Amino acid sequence: MCPLNNDPYLSQFYINEVVLGTGFGIIIGPHVANVFTPRTWGPLENTITLEVMRIVLATGLFAVGVELPCAYMKEHAKSLLIMVVPTMAFGWVVVAGIIQALFPELNYVSSLCIAACLTPTDPVTCAAITRGKFATKHVPVNIRQILSAESAANDGLAYPFLAISIYLTVETSVRTALGKWFLVGWLYQVILGTVLGAVLGLLFSKLMKISHKRGFIDRESYVAQYLALAIFTMGIASTIGADDLLAAFAAGSAISWDGHFNVQTEDDVFSSVIDYVLNCGCFIYIGAWLPFDAYNSAEYGITPWKLVLLMITILVLRRIPPLLALYKLVPEITSWKEALFSGHFGPMGVSAVFVSALALTRLPTPEDPPANQAQYLAAVIQPIVSFIVLGSIIVHGLSIPFFNMGRGVHSHTVSLTMTWTSRNRVTVPDWVLWARRAPDVVEPAVDEDVEQGSTRTPKDTDESAVDIPDTGPPDVLTFEDVSGDVASVVTRRHSRGIDDSSPELVQVEAIDNHTGPGNLGNGAPDDNQIKNVRFPTAQ
């Protein structure tokens, strides 16, 4: 989250690092300050771009796999299959048709190649929806999880869509192209990459559990391995030519299959810092890399109005129609409104840049003018893809601020996630709250009323108000249906049972005029005494 959001008047905007990083990259790039100019690096520029995007995507996909609940991919396989395969296929074919209509110099196969770059949902940009304050308040957890899993799965599945387009473009025989697509694109890249990642994840999970049990490593070692495992898996898969993105996602899912890895890294901030730094750096790079001069290239038939029209039609037709048609088959999506939301938030970003850079490595270097269709495709693929990425960053990155501003001050039902700490609190920057990942399952402590960082709830609740002793670490409470502007929230505290796992939901009302601090059981004053108090609704 942007540091400006610490300001109470600016916190409603929920502007994330995707928008800010891209804007800063444009400012320092060749078209403004001319400080950082990736496109002047010559023949190495595309290779550097490809590897930067690969590292950011692999770490992001590994993180998505780790964050998902235990065995999530097994329990939700049907929903993911419905959301990923038909949606990707529909968007791929429809977007290709739109591209060929707007750029008739491209044949349909070349249009399919460009559409393959725009088919996957970007997991880095999608994190703005699935994490952070806005998601916690307004997006149901089932939608957040299914969107995260879908964005990770369809990133890796972009390889076969790109491969068939490339093979049909560069191969002289359709039979040869289809044979290579099946053997290389599916069996070797996708299947081998998935199996490799799952095996590596399971092996490392067992190895680290044994090492931790025997005292060979401590909790900090888990934190250090978080990034190392992602890069190691990506390196192995990339070296043998398998699908490194699917391998990273499979490794993240496998290593957290039983929840042990999640428990060991649940309170970690380091991995969130790494994610945040990589994401910021990546979008700064993209902002400076954008080829603004190529958006008006009459010799290739590229004009600004065509690009804008293409962006609008892609945003409307790429995901929304298939999800509206199929949402009743996906239990996680319960209404057409949630289907519309899921269809809208299918951003294109790092993954689109990565696939376009990968396509260039398999296409011939274009001459001026291009000698054939393959050279023409190589000349226009990145200008078209990069403009759609820029438009997606603007539209999807600013959708939440505009949505939030349009809600109005008279809304009576919102959701609020609030962190309560005792007097000995540790202040965490707001952007860490935006980036960090909360665990789904935490082992309970028998003698504690409120568990640190836990979302488990009691079987039995005690309706009496209790005082909280000043014992140290922060506790987390979850509130719903808070009306008005919240300056202070005071609520009744429940005793917690050991075996209950339902979320703790407490009805509260809040206004600005909290009456003041209370006293702890030891007589010390405490600003955060927990009571059951009713306030009038803010106007």
Side-chain angles (χ1 to χ4, degrees):
M1 179 67 66
C2 170
L4 293 177
N5 291 337
N6 292 324
D7 187 298
Y9 297 101
L10 296 178
S11 62
Q12 62 176 323
F13 293 117
Y14 298 95
I15 299 177
N16 56 69
E17 68 270 18
V18 173
V19 177
L20 296 178
T22 305
F24 183 73
I26 294 173
I27 292 174
I28 67 173
H31 302 284
V32 183
N34 199 29
V35 174
F36 182 52
T37 56
R39 288 194 172 273
T40 62
W41 296 345
L44 293 177
E45 176 269 322
N46 190 67
T47 302
I48 295 174
T49 300
L50 178 67
E51 299 308 320
V52 168
M53 302 301 128
R54 189 195 304 273
I55 292 173
V56 174
L57 276 176
T59 54
L61 292 173
F62 183 86
V64 171
V66 170
E67 292 163 19
L68 291 174
C70 303
Y72 183 88
M73 298 301 293
K74 178 181 178 181
E75 296 173 0
H76 299 264
K78 175 186 174 183
S79 300
L80 284 171
L81 185 65
I82 293 173
M83 286 193 68
V84 171
V85 178
T87 303
M88 289 187 71
F90 178 88
W92 182 50
V93 172
V94 170
V95 170
I98 298 170
I99 291 174
Q100 188 185 23
L102 290 173
F103 304 95
E105 296 86 354
L106 290 168
N107 60 32
Y108 190 69
V109 173
S110 298
S111 300
L112 285 173
C113 183
I114 298 177
C117 303
L118 303 172
T119 297
T121 301
D122 182 37
V124 180
T125 312
C126 191
I129 313 305
T130 58
R131 304 176 192 166
K133 292 182 177 179
F134 184 90
T136 305
K137 290 183 179 183
H138 304 296
V139 184
V141 64
N142 56 311
I143 297 296
R144 282 183 270 152
Q145 290 175 348
I146 197 70
L147 285 179
S148 293
E150 184 220 4
S151 67
N154 67 18
D155 251 42
L157 288 176
Y159 274 95
F161 290 93
L162 176 66
I164 184 62
S165 308
I166 295 293
Y167 288 140
L168 289 174
T169 300
V170 300
E171 296 291 340
T172 55
S173 169
V174 175
R175 182 176 180 179
T176 302
L178 292 176
K180 286 186 176 181
W181 176 63
F182 179 75
L183 294 176
V184 178
W186 279 104
L187 293 183
Y188 191 79
Q189 291 186 329
V190 173
I191 304 300
L192 178 61
T194 304
V195 173
L196 175 67
V199 170
L200 288 175
L202 290 174
L203 289 177
F204 274 107
S205 176
K206 294 184 179 297
L207 177 62
M208 294 180 72
K209 286 171 67 176
I210 294 173
S211 301
H212 185 263
K213 183 178 180 180
R214 296 186 178 182
F216 297 155
I217 61 175
D218 53 14
R219 182 181 172 279
E220 285 71 17
S221 300
Y222 279 84
V223 176
Q225 295 304 317
Y226 190 96
L227 182 62
L229 290 176
I231 296 179
F232 177 78
T233 304
M234 176 197 70
I236 294 293
S238 182
T239 299
I240 65 175
D243 189 334
D244 45 1
L245 301 186
L246 269 182
F249 177 53
S253 300
I255 202 172
S256 61
W257 195 261
D258 59 359
H260 177 76
F261 190 86
N262 305 65
V263 172
Q264 297 299 322
T265 59
E266 64 184 1
D267 295 323
D268 169 48
V269 176
F270 175 75
S271 59
S272 298
V273 173
I274 294 297
D275 287 347
Y276 189 83
V277 170
L278 287 176
N279 294 347
C280 286
C282 179
F283 280 96
I284 291 173
Y285 185 97
I286 290 176
W289 169 86
L290 292 172
F292 286 97
D293 293 339
Y295 296 154
N296 190 15
S297 301
E299 64 274 19
Y300 297 121
I302 299 176
T303 58
W305 75 265
K306 287 184 178 181
L307 294 175
V308 172
L309 183 59
L310 175 64
M311 181 189 70
I312 294 173
T313 52
I314 287 177
L315 292 177
V316 174
L317 299 178
R318 171 172 158 261
R319 283 171 54 89
I320 293 176
L323 283 180
L324 285 176
L326 298 173
Y327 81 89
K328 292 183 179 180
L329 302 176
V330 182
E332 291 80 1
I333 302 178
T334 59
S335 67
W336 69 267
K337 293 181 180 179
E338 291 183 354
L340 182 63
F341 176 87
S342 303
H344 170 66
F345 283 106
M348 296 154 283
V350 180
S351 55
V353 176
F354 171 77
V355 178
S356 68
L358 181 64
L360 283 183
T361 64
R362 304 182 183 185
L363 292 171
T365 302
E367 302 173 4
D368 190 16
N372 52 42
Q373 184 67 201
Q375 291 188 14
Y376 181 74
L377 173 62
V380 302
I381 184 170
Q382 284 199 336
I384 295 176
V385 170
S386 63
F387 185 89
I388 303 304
V389 168
L390 177 61
S392 178
I393 290 172
I394 295 173
V395 172
H396 294 110
L398 297 180
S399 290
I400 288 179
F402 281 113
F403 173 79
N404 195 59
M405 287 190 297
R407 291 177 62 85
V409 296
H410 297 292
S411 175
H412 294 287
T413 304
V414 297
S415 298
L416 171 67
T417 296
M418 179 181 179
T419 301
W420 180 89
T421 62
S422 64
R423 295 176 63 209
N424 299 327
R425 61 173 61 88
V426 178
T427 303
V428 179
D430 187 59
W431 63 266
V432 173
L433 298 177
W434 174 262
R436 71 179 301 174
R437 297 168 294 278
D440 294 289
V441 179
V442 178
E443 292 298 329
V446 175
D447 298 328
E448 293 183 33
D449 281 341
V450 178
E451 299 172 316
Q452 177 182 354
S454 174
T455 56
R456 297 173 65 100
T457 354
K459 244 182 220 181
D460 305 317
T461 58
D462 181 9
E463 293 297 327
S464 60
V466 294
D467 291 334
I468 307 300
D470 187 3
T471 54
D475 303 317
V476 178
L477 299 177
T478 303
F479 302 86
E480 285 194 351
D481 298 326
V482 180
S483 56
D485 294 328
V486 179
S488 60
V489 175
V490 187
T491 184
R492 179 176 300 161
R493 181 172 180 238
H494 292 247
S495 64
R496 307 186 67 84
I498 295 176
D499 299 325
D500 190 64
S501 60
S502 58
E504 181 178 7
L505 301 177
V506 185
Q507 297 294 323
V508 298
E509 293 185 41
I511 58 168
D512 301 331
N513 54 349
H514 181 42
T515 55
N519 293 318
L520 295 173
N522 57 10
D526 184 44
D527 291 342
N528 295 302
Q529 183 184 15
I530 303 301
K531 300 178 180 178
N532 184 21
V533 180
R534 184 177 183 85
F535 295 92
T537 303
Q539 299 298 321

